[in-house]
Amino acid sequence: MADTPAGAPRGPAHDTRSMVLFGGVYGAVVASAMVAALTEYGHTSRASRRYDAAWLLVTAFASALAHGYAHYIAERGPRRRGQALRALAAEWPLVVAMLPSVLILAGGGWGWWPADSVELPAFVFNIALLFALGLYTARAAGRRWAGALATGVGDALLGVLVVVANAVIK
C-alpha cells in the first residue's frame, strides 16, 4: 500500500458506520460499568441518583474528549485547521450511547420512578443497545441475517459480562 504524499489531504480514518458502532459499543459498556460502580455501595436515595447521573454525564464527555484527542494525536502527517475539533466532534456516538443511562439515573433522582431500582433497567437498556448496534452495523455491512444476529449477540455479551462481573464483585 502506498503512503499518502505529504501535501495531499488525508480522509477520515474510519467511516461513519464504524464510528457509530465503536462509540456506541464503548459508550454502552462504559455506561453499564459506571452504573454498576456508582450503585455498588447501596446509595439509592434520589439525591444519590442525581449525583450518579451527573457523574455519568461527566464521564461521557471526558471519555469522548480523551478518545477524540487520542485519535487526533495518533494520526500522522500534516495537520489541517480544525482537525482537532473534528476529531473531538467525531466522538458524539459515545456520548449519545451514554445519555439513556444518564436519563435513567436522573429519572430516579427526579422521582419519575423509584430511585432504588434503576440499575436493572439501565443494564437491560444497554444490553439491548449493544445488540441493536451489532445487528444494524452487520446488516449495513452486507452480512446475512444469521451473521448479523451473531454479531448482535456478541456485542450484547459485552454488556452481560459487565452485569455478571457486577454480581460477582458484590
Side-chain angles (χ1 to χ4, degrees):
M1 184 174 186
D3 289 333
T4 304
R10 298 179 75 164
H14 303 287
D15 64 353
T16 302
R17 184 183 315 131
S18 66
M19 291 304 292
V20 168
L21 177 63
F22 172 80
V25 167
Y26 190 83
V29 171
V30 169
S32 291
M34 286 292 297
V35 168
L38 290 168
T39 61
E40 178 182 356
Y41 298 107
H43 301 289
T44 59
S45 70
R46 289 175 61 179
S48 293
R49 293 306 183 191
R50 289 190 302 270
Y51 176 82
D52 293 348
W55 265 113
L56 189 54
L57 191 59
V58 167
T59 301
F61 283 105
S63 296
L65 286 172
H67 274 236
Y69 182 68
H71 283 275
Y72 174 73
I73 62 172
E75 291 292 319
R76 298 173 190 226
R79 305 275 191 226
R80 290 181 289 170
R81 181 174 292 165
Q83 191 174 358
L85 291 176
R86 281 190 294 280
L88 295 175
E91 298 298 325
W92 67 265
L94 190 153
V95 175
V96 170
M98 293 178 76
L99 289 179
S101 294
V102 170
L103 187 61
I104 290 169
L105 290 171
W110 294 326
W112 293 351
W113 39 76
D116 62 348
S117 60
V118 297
E119 189 175 48
L120 181 62
F123 286 150
V124 168
F125 180 86
N126 287 319
I127 290 168
L129 177 61
L130 287 164
F131 175 79
L133 283 168
L135 179 69
Y136 168 74
T137 55
R139 286 296 295 159
R143 289 193 184 163
R144 294 192 170 132
W145 276 103
L149 288 170
T151 301
V153 168
D155 284 358
L157 285 175
L158 292 171
V160 171
L161 180 66
V162 171
V163 172
V164 169
N166 181 46
V168 169
I169 291 171
K170 283 186 177 181

